[in-house]
Every structure is written in C-alpha cells, then in structure tokens.
Amino acid sequence: MQIEVISPRAAIDNAFLQESLTEAEFERFRQRLLKLLNQIDDAVGGGESEEHLKNLIKPFLSSTNFGEEYYINTKERQDLAIHNGKTRQSNVGVIIEAKRPSNNEMITADDVNRKAFHEAILYYLRERIDNGNEDIKHVIITDVYQWYIFDAQDFERHFYESTKLTEWYRQWKRGEKVSSRTDFVYSHLSKFVDELDAHLKASEITISKYRRLLEKDQLSRDEQKKLVPAFKLFTPTHLLKQAFASDSNELNKGFYRELLYIMGLKEYKEKGTHYITRLDEESRQHASLIENTITQLESLSVLSRLPNSNEFGEDEEEQLFNVAIQLLITWMNRILFLKLLEAQLFKYHREDERFKFLGAREIVEYDGLNKLFFQVLAVPEDERSDRIQKHYSHIPYLNSSLFDVAGIEQQAIRISELEDNLEMPVHARSKITEDGEQLKGESLSSLEYLLRFLDAYNFNTEGTAEVQKEAKTLINASVLGRIFEKINGYKDGSFFTPGYITEYMCRETIRRAVVQKF
C-alpha cells in the first residue's frame, strides 16, 4: 500500500475554500496555531511525553473553529476523537492518532506501514464494528508538527469492507486467536497493509512551514491567502463534512427566504410540487415589490390596455398578480445578473469602488435601475448620451437580450414607474448589518432594502478565499441558478442547468468546431 499526499488546498471543497472569512476569525486561528507550534517546541525540548503533546491538540481545535459545539476528547483507547455533536453520546466523526515528533512509529509519505497507521485502522474497525458508527468522516495521524488526514471512505473501502480483515478482527475479539494483545493485531495489520495493492490519498500539512507567516505582525493579502487553506482544513465544515451555504448543490435558504420577503411572495407545496404566490392579505407589505407593482398596474388601468388580459387569469386579481409576477421576474433576473457582473468587474479592477454601480448610494430611485437597463448596459459605449457617459463610461455594453425591453414591459409598465419611498420592516433574520450589528426593528424603502440586502452577500462566481473585515456568504452562479429556477418556475416549472453540464456542452461544441477547422 502507498499513500498519495495532496495539499490542503487540493483536499478542501473548492466552493468552501473560496468562501471569505473575517479578520477576527483569521487572526484568532493564526495566533492559536503559533501558540500550538511554540508549545510543541517547548514540549519536545523539555522531553515531554506523547500524552502531553496529545493534550495540546484539543485546546487548539476548541479555541479556533470547533468551540463548544463539538465534543473533543479521548475515547476508549483512541488518542483523541472529534464528535459530531456537543456530547460524548454523539458519534465520533474524526479519529485522531497522535505521536511524539521523531517517534519511528509515525508514518511518512514514503512509508505508511507503521504502528501509527495500524492503530488508526484498529480504532476505525472498533468504531465501525463494535460501536456500529456510520458517521466517521476522517482519520488523522499526526505528530502535531505534521498531519496526515485520510478520508474515512478510503478506510471503509479498504479495511471495513474487506471480509478477510473484518472476520479476522471478529475472531480476535471473541478470543479465538493465540493472543488477545493489541500488538498481535498490529502485527497482523502490518502484513495486511504490506500485501494490499491500493493507493490512499491523504492531505498533508506541516505547520512548522508556516512559522514565518505566523510570527509576522501583519500579513499582506497574498500572505493571508497562503494560510487560508490551513484555516479551512481545521474546520467542522471540512473535517466533519458539513454542508455549507454556497455549496452548488445547496439552496441558500436564508438568501431565498429574505429575497421572497422583499418581493412580497411566499412558497408553498402542493402534491409534491413547490409553487410561489402572493402573500396572504393580512401579511402583505404595500412597499414589497409585488404589491408596489400591482398598485401601479391598477392605478394606470393597465389591464384595460392589454389585448389579451384574459390569458393572465380568470378574474382581475389573478390577472394583476400574473402580470406583476412576470414583470418582477424580468426585473429580478436583470438585477441578480448585474450583481454577478458587478462582483466580477470589482474584482477584475482590483476593487476599484467605481465598479460598485448597483449599491444603495448609487441607485436611489427605481428610475436609476431603468437607466442602467436601457441607457447603459443595452447601449454601446460610443452611442451613449453625454449625461450617461459622464457617470457610466466605465460600465461595459452587454450585447444581451436580457436588456431588451421585454414584451410584458411594452404592454404594461417599466420598473421606473414603481413608487420610490414606500418603506417596509426589515426581516427579523435579515443579513443586513450596520456597524457590525444586525438591523432589527427598522424600516427601509423597498429599493434600498433590496440593494442593501444584495450587498450583504458576496456574488463572486468563483469566490476569493480572502480575509475580510466582514465575511459575506458566497452566492455563486450555481447557487443563484437554484434561485432563478425557483422564481422563474413559479407556475409551470423551470430548471437551472448545472455548471458541469453546460461546461461539458461548451467543451464538446468548441472541441468539434476546432477539430473541423483543421
């Protein structure tokens, strides 16, 4: 058996890796990692025991990313275990086998068949067979300076699913072997590993390599980025394989919930299908986007001007809602797309604040959005009016039908006709903050609310893996795709095509086109 070592950056889910983190979180981790490194130096220099070194790991994990939410302690003969919950009754999620530095029982990248590895296998088999634990996520072998982190799925495949090995283990447990000592088990495991034709991947990190970065008073952004993978490696999200908000396969429920609230909509389920509709009458906010739109449609007698109003519903209320929701979907598709564009321009231009063109300070009335749609993004730069050029010369032209006037807008109203100053209460669980504090009990105009709400998230499609004063949840293109799918499919169903499918389609199309040219 051999192991293939991979870097922390390669081991961590890319979407999670790209999520930003706060300066406070980062600095706490940096100081605690430096403290751990210094403690190891002192312990090794003072001839401390393996037990002493093992006891340095628990406070390091607890004081950085695990806190009191996860029980960390020894278990039976295991050196250390991270549980999936707050108490020792919760299942073990991570098995940790710790050795003293320079102990020849510690594994290396070139030689995995050592006692530390045999002990890790034995502890894994005990958890799986004796305790029936199906929730193990990782197995760690470390001398505290150096860490090897194995995915438990590899231990499952090569050891637990080996009928030969598990049957031998059960016989040993029943006392059917010549010795009941664990050394006898390790001897057998050594032979088993030696004969096993397999490659195991292990993420490898040597924390002493970070000493220079840990000891510096201040780090540049590039230096911070070098430490971010180490931070992410020692988190419950990675080690316990937890879902996270920007996972491409996960709908960000907080984002979706508050967006629906601002729009004045709710989702309900009927016969296994999810639908979006107007809020019940007693829950409606006259400032919400849907209510504002319906009010303008009524005041301007739009239904009487529509040649096909009966196609929008059986009665006036249904017709007004269906016209309003189609308008709202058109506008929201543009706005969410522009947040992605803004994030990319801002990043590409080295965080030049001029490219923050969709903020509440820049857009103070709905007519500002209308100008963005039809006088800026839909018009080539050299064809824009002098007034528009003055303010938006740096914003590119988008040759996209998304910024053509939609048929429903031609027949009904444009976003500029919405009333500007109507206020609504901020959602009780809003992501909007002010001076680091969550807004509570305050009201905002629906336009300011929408723009500040969107600004509370990070719309970088790839993320930045950066340290920020205030870490924002990443809303990437795939997560937004799920939102588009939900909102656009409010009635008949609509489906977002995941990135891996569109990537395949583009790759095959371009490849064939190139091959044909040659």
Side-chain angles (χ1 to χ4, degrees):
M1 169 174 280
Q2 294 179 321
I3 61 170
E4 175 190 344
V5 294
I6 56 176
S7 68
R9 183 176 294 276
I12 299 165
D13 183 286
N14 191 55
F16 174 55
L17 180 65
Q18 299 305 331
E19 282 192 337
S20 58
L21 54 145
T22 66
E23 285 182 353
E25 291 173 322
F26 179 79
E27 281 303 314
R28 182 173 65 246
F29 174 79
R30 193 162 76 99
Q31 295 304 321
R32 290 300 304 181
L33 190 58
L34 178 60
K35 182 177 180 179
L36 175 64
L37 195 55
N38 290 335
Q39 287 174 327
I40 304 167
D41 293 344
D42 292 342
V44 172
E48 292 288 356
S49 67
E50 190 173 285
E51 189 72 17
H52 178 90
L53 287 162
K54 176 179 66 180
N55 290 332
L56 300 176
I57 298 174
K58 178 183 174 182
F60 162 69
L61 295 173
S62 297
S63 63
T64 51
N65 297 318
F66 286 83
E68 297 180 359
E69 296 300 308
Y70 304 93
Y71 184 75
I72 304 174
N73 214 326
T74 58
K75 184 186 179 186
E76 298 166 353
R77 298 294 299 276
Q78 293 176 37
D79 287 345
L80 210 58
I82 303 174
H83 292 245
N84 287 295
K86 293 182 178 181
T87 67
R88 65 186 303 272
Q89 283 72 37
S90 56
N91 277 341
V92 169
V94 180
I95 296 169
I96 301 177
E97 170 60 27
K99 292 295 178 188
R100 195 177 187 281
S102 303
N103 187 328
N104 59 13
E105 295 177 351
M106 177 63 186
I107 66 172
T108 68
D110 298 322
D111 186 5
V112 70
N113 197 5
R114 295 190 179 186
K115 187 177 179 181
F117 193 62
H118 309 148
E119 290 174 306
I121 297 170
L122 177 59
Y123 300 151
Y124 187 84
L125 293 177
R126 280 177 174 161
E127 276 296 316
R128 288 293 285 115
I129 297 172
D130 300 357
N131 300 329
N133 184 359
E134 298 178 349
D135 299 322
I136 310 168
K137 308 301 193 304
H138 284 98
V139 177
I140 297 175
I141 301 175
T142 179
D143 64 3
V144 198
Y145 280 129
Q146 194 161 28
W147 300 66
Y148 292 93
I149 303 175
F150 298 87
D151 192 313
Q153 290 182 0
D154 282 341
F155 271 59
E156 184 80 1
R157 182 164 51 252
H158 296 300
F159 307 125
Y160 178 73
E161 291 181 1
S162 168
T163 305
K164 179 181 176 182
L165 179 59
T166 53
E167 182 54 33
W168 187 95
Y169 172 81
R170 288 185 174 95
Q171 290 171 354
W172 174 76
K173 283 285 292 183
R174 293 194 298 263
E176 296 174 7
K177 296 299 179 181
V178 295
S179 173
S180 59
R181 296 175 59 187
T182 52
D183 283 345
F184 178 71
V185 180
Y186 301 148
S187 176
H188 179 79
L189 288 173
S190 178
K191 294 177 184 177
F192 182 86
V193 169
D194 190 50
E195 294 171 359
L196 187 63
D197 183 16
H199 281 74
L200 267 71
K201 282 187 178 180
S203 49
E204 179 190 34
I205 182 169
T206 305
I207 62 174
S208 55
K209 290 181 179 178
Y210 295 97
R211 187 184 295 277
R212 185 184 63 83
L213 295 178
L214 299 174
E215 291 178 342
K216 288 187 72 171
D217 290 335
Q218 270 192 316
L219 299 183
S220 67
R221 179 166 293 181
D222 287 340
E223 288 173 326
Q224 287 177 336
K225 283 185 175 183
K226 292 177 182 177
L227 263 176
V228 167
F231 175 97
K232 297 290 179 74
L233 195 71
F234 293 106
T235 58
T237 302
H238 176 67
L239 290 181
L240 295 176
K241 296 187 179 180
Q242 297 174 337
F244 51 95
S246 65
D247 185 338
S248 299
N249 299 312
E250 294 287 328
L251 174 70
N252 188 306
K253 294 178 182 177
F255 180 88
Y256 181 56
R257 178 183 59 241
E258 193 167 2
L259 181 62
L260 284 184
Y261 173 77
I262 297 169
M263 293 172 74
L265 303 172
K266 69 174 182 178
E267 182 181 272
Y268 70 96
K269 188 176 180 180
E270 186 177 291
K271 295 180 180 179
T273 302
H274 292 265
Y275 298 94
I276 290 176
T277 190
R278 193 178 183 183
L279 285 170
D280 299 330
E281 192 167 352
E282 64 273 12
S283 303
R284 292 171 188 169
Q285 302 279 349
H286 67 282
S288 68
L289 298 178
I290 193 74
E291 298 305 323
N292 195 343
T293 304
I294 289 173
T295 298
Q296 303 315 310
L297 292 174
E298 284 184 299
S299 66
L300 297 170
S301 302
V302 168
L303 290 182
S304 64
R305 303 201 313 263
L306 289 177
N308 56 342
S309 60
N310 61 325
E311 294 180 8
F312 289 94
E314 296 180 358
D315 54 40
E316 183 177 336
E317 183 177 1
E318 186 180 358
Q319 290 167 5
L320 283 169
F321 172 75
N322 284 328
V323 172
I325 192 78
Q326 285 196 29
L327 287 165
L328 201 50
I329 287 170
T330 300
W331 300 332
M332 199 54 63
N333 282 349
R334 290 173 183 155
I335 291 167
L336 292 177
F337 176 82
L338 288 180
K339 284 306 291 186
L340 290 172
L341 173 67
E342 179 190 62
Q344 292 306 298
L345 288 174
F346 183 65
K347 177 183 175 183
Y348 182 78
H349 290 280
R350 304 192 178 205
E351 301 189 357
D352 184 338
E353 288 292 331
R354 292 188 310 143
F355 291 91
K356 288 283 188 179
F357 60 85
L358 202 60
R361 286 181 298 181
E362 291 72 28
I363 307 292
V364 295
E365 55 186 21
Y366 285 107
D367 188 52
L369 286 175
N370 201 64
K371 287 190 179 81
L372 260 183
F373 294 163
F374 304 121
Q375 296 182 41
V376 181
L377 296 152
V379 180
E381 291 92 326
D382 58 355
E383 296 179 20
R384 294 172 186 168
S385 68
D386 293 341
R387 181 173 57 87
I388 293 296
Q389 277 282 21
K390 183 178 178 181
H391 295 286
Y392 295 108
S393 60
H394 56 294
I395 303 301
Y397 161 61
L398 296 182
N399 183 16
S400 168
S401 60
L402 187 62
F403 297 99
D404 292 340
V405 180
I408 191 67
E409 288 176 303
Q410 292 175 337
Q411 293 178 309
I413 63 173
R414 297 196 189 184
I415 199 168
S416 55
E417 294 176 81
L418 297 185
E419 191 169 344
D420 290 309
N421 299 316
L422 298 177
E423 293 192 348
M424 61 188 294
V426 172
H427 194 281
R429 295 162 68 183
S430 176
K431 270 284 192 176
I432 301 175
T433 59
E434 200 164 274
D435 298 325
E437 297 293 326
Q438 186 178 4
L439 287 186
K440 287 184 179 178
E442 297 192 35
S443 293
L444 299 171
S445 75
S446 53
L447 177 60
E448 181 184 358
Y449 189 174
L450 173 64
L451 297 178
R452 287 184 65 180
F453 159 70
L454 295 176
D455 264 343
Y457 290 85
N458 178 6
F459 281 82
N460 264 309
T461 55
E462 296 177 355
T464 57
E466 289 180 348
V467 180
Q468 302 177 352
K469 288 185 178 179
E470 179 188 4
K472 297 180 180 181
T473 302
L474 182 67
I475 300 291
N476 62 24
S478 296
V479 175
L480 261 191
R482 297 292 306 279
I483 305 293
F484 280 131
E485 180 180 304
K486 286 271 192 180
I487 295 174
N488 285 271
Y490 78 101
K491 189 174 181 182
D492 300 317
S494 177
F495 299 95
F496 169 70
T497 306
Y500 71 91
I501 294 178
T502 53
E503 181 184 4
Y504 170 79
M505 293 166 64
C506 293
R507 185 175 63 245
E508 291 302 304
T509 303
I510 294 170
R511 179 179 291 163
R512 290 180 186 180
V514 171
V515 169
Q516 286 172 2
K517 288 291 183 184
F518 286 92

